[in-house]
Amino acid sequence: MTALEVRDLHKSYGELDALRGVSFSVAAGEVFGLLGPNGAGKTTTVEILEGYRKRDGGEASVLGEDPGTAGAAWRERIGVVLQASDLPPTLTVREVHEMFAGYYAQPRNVAEVIDLVGLGEKSEARVKTLSGGQKRRLDLGVALVGDPELLFLDEPTTGFDPSARRAAWDVVRSLRELGKTILLTTHYLDEAQQLADRVAVIRDGRIVRQGSPAELIAGTPKVQIRYREDGRDVVVETDEPTRVLAELTGTAAAAGRELEGLEVVRPSLEDVYLDLVENGAPAP
Ligand code: ATP
């Protein structure tokens, strides 16, 4: 079942064509990552899908409705975590969750949500006393209170320390296990590689590549073989790692030499991404 679909989405701000024909679809229960450099058009796309911004052209369907015209019942089925939020500073973490729970017909249990986002010990702390990372967790908690089917996470772990990031990843994974659909934008490629079933890379308002992280990585032939020889680091880039490695190891073994520090390194999603956005690799 498709949770979300856009076809040929267009959006201009005056002279600037921010979206020039964006198309993708996200299946129910999938975690989909939208990647791209600053200004590529990710937030514009997400805000159109959230119903916060009008599109100029193309089609959009979110949980079976057009986000441009969908009403309050539809909004209850989606959760949104914005890049920056403005929650009442003098309320406590629990009070903020309770306030949002009041907006929904069937909210989740507030204490459970607070625990899920790792704020159990801060339940009675006022918003203004929270650290930046804790505020982001609060944003996530608020988005989860309505028990949404579909969650929009816009750069959800920006400013998190490494352990908070891992904790947030666990939250996303547990939401996925609950069958939620998640549209994630992030600048952390390791985050996308860890969490997303599929990603789309957007550049200058167009999608230049989409697929699972593994597919994107497999699509780049280059593998690095690294070792040390005579005190120097040697790096061989090849699209035939088996043959090159056999030759190297064969020659070294025949000479009774050890290839010091030998490793075969596959490119990461970040390498593939940088290649796409910096070298302008053409869309397939
Ligand atoms: P970032 O990674 O920095 O969040 P993004 O991919 O989310 O970037 P968008 O915020 O969608 O990018 O912006 C796409 C382009 O549209 C940018 O060039 C931006 O300057 C422009 N833009 C976005 N919102 C507006 C607006 N309200 N008015 C005018 N131009 C805008």
Side-chain angles (χ1 to χ4, degrees), residues 49-210:
L49 294 170
E50 291 165 348
Y52 291 142
R53 207 169 271 280
K54 277 203 158 48
R55 61 187 188 270
D56 297 334
E59 287 165 42
S61 166
V62 175
L63 298 178
E65 295 196 43
D66 182 336
T69 54
W74 172 83
R75 185 149 295 284
E76 286 215 354
R77 298 166 64 202
I78 68 169
V80 173
V81 181
L82 300 172
Q83 276 185 27
S85 67
D86 210 4
L87 293 167
T90 56
L91 293 188
T92 66
V93 166
R94 183 178 48 76
E95 287 164 348
V96 170
H97 281 83
E98 281 168 354
M99 179 176 90
F100 279 88
Y103 299 149
Y104 295 94
Q106 285 176 318
R108 285 185 64 152
N109 178 286
V110 161
E112 268 176 38
V113 171
I114 293 173
D115 277 342
L116 181 68
V117 297
L119 284 176
E121 292 186 358
K122 290 283 175 185
S123 197
E124 298 307 321
R126 293 193 194 285
V127 171
K128 64 182 176 191
T129 68
L130 298 178
S131 73
Q134 288 165 346
K135 284 200 181 99
R136 301 294 291 145
R137 291 172 184 225
L138 179 64
D139 294 334
L140 181 58
V142 163
L144 294 178
V145 156
D147 200 18
E149 289 164 55
L150 168 66
L151 199 59
F152 292 99
L153 300 178
D154 200 4
E155 300 185 22
T157 65
T158 297
F160 280 24
D161 66 44
S163 63
R165 171 159 300 138
R166 294 294 161 112
W169 291 359
D170 286 340
V171 173
V172 173
R173 290 191 185 107
S174 58
L175 292 170
R176 189 180 179 281
E177 273 165 32
L178 289 171
K180 310 291 184 193
T181 308
I182 297 174
L183 184 69
L184 169 82
T185 69
T186 181
H187 287 296
Y188 301 111
L189 279 297
D190 57 336
E191 181 161 294
Q193 191 162 358
Q194 287 287 328
L195 296 180
D197 298 301
R198 286 187 308 126
V199 298
V201 179
I202 184 164
R203 189 188 67 208
D204 293 335
R206 285 197 187 92
I207 288 182
V208 288
R209 194 66 52 90
Q210 58 178 311

Side-chain angles (χ1 to χ4, degrees), residues 217-231:
I217 291 166
T220 60
K222 275 184 246 148
V223 169
Q224 285 187 349
I225 297 170
R226 298 182 189 163
Y227 56 98
R228 286 180 68 77
E229 195 169 48
D230 304 329

Side-chain angles (χ1 to χ4, degrees), residues 12-14 16-19 35-47 53 83 154-155 185 187 202:
S12 301
Y13 299 107
L16 179 87
D17 292 328
L19 300 182
L35 313 176
N38 292 136
K42 302 177 300 294
T43 304
T44 300
T45 304
V46 169
E47 287 182 354
R53 207 169 271 280
Q83 276 185 27
D154 200 4
E155 300 185 22
T185 69
H187 287 296
I202 184 164

